[in-house]
Amino acid sequence: MPKITKRRTRHKSSRYAGLPSELPSSDLPTYRQVIQYAYYLEKNSYEKKTIIYNDLVTTLAQKLQSLWSSVNSRLPLIQEKSLNTKLRRLFSKVIAAEGKKKEKKSSI
């Protein structure tokens, strides 16, 4: 009978988009960088385990709007309500993906 070996992975992270980090100050952030910044805010100032709640979304929306206006003042901005909706949808997708990742780990 052949010997069964465990696979090794290069990076074991329970987070969907990687480790927490700050937003870049000179470029427009990607979705991944927004998620990493949400992890950063969650790690440093919030005690809840989920990232969907109003304080985090409004803080992140304000930070993104100030960053967008500082990068290029002629860049058209979307309304705050639309930005909040987009962030909530993004975070719900992230939480769903993290849940699937945890299910895979537990079934192995």
Side-chain angles (χ1 to χ4, degrees):
M1 184 175 241
K3 185 177 178 183
I4 298 174
T5 60
K6 239 184 184 183
R7 288 189 191 181
R8 291 186 184 189
T9 59
R10 292 183 183 169
H11 181 70
K12 291 183 180 181
S13 175
S14 62
R15 295 295 191 162
Y16 176 70
L19 299 174
S21 66
E22 289 271 348
L23 283 176
S25 59
S26 60
D27 296 333
L28 295 176
T30 61
Y31 282 123
R32 181 181 179 145
Q33 290 170 332
V34 169
I35 295 167
Q36 288 175 341
Y37 185 66
Y39 290 154
Y40 176 79
L41 288 177
E42 181 184 36
K43 179 183 174 188
N44 290 335
S45 61
Y46 296 99
E47 294 179 5
K48 296 182 180 178
K49 293 196 178 206
T50 59
I51 58 175
I52 291 185
Y53 50 102
N54 293 331
D55 295 340
L56 181 64
V57 171
T58 55
T59 303
L60 192 55
Q62 291 170 356
K63 177 73 174 179
L64 285 173
Q65 285 182 336
S66 68
L67 182 65
W68 285 336
S69 63
S70 69
V71 168
N72 188 352
S73 60
R74 294 181 286 163
L75 188 69
L77 296 175
I78 61 175
Q79 293 180 352
E80 188 174 349
K81 183 178 178 182
S82 299
L83 183 58
N84 287 341
T85 304
K86 283 187 175 198
L87 288 173
R88 282 194 178 94
R89 286 181 188 158
L90 175 67
F91 293 149
S92 66
K93 289 178 185 178
V94 168
I95 289 173
E98 283 182 349
K100 288 180 184 176
K101 193 173 183 180
K102 287 179 183 177
E103 287 175 7
K104 278 186 177 180
K105 280 186 176 181
S106 64
S107 67
I108 293 178

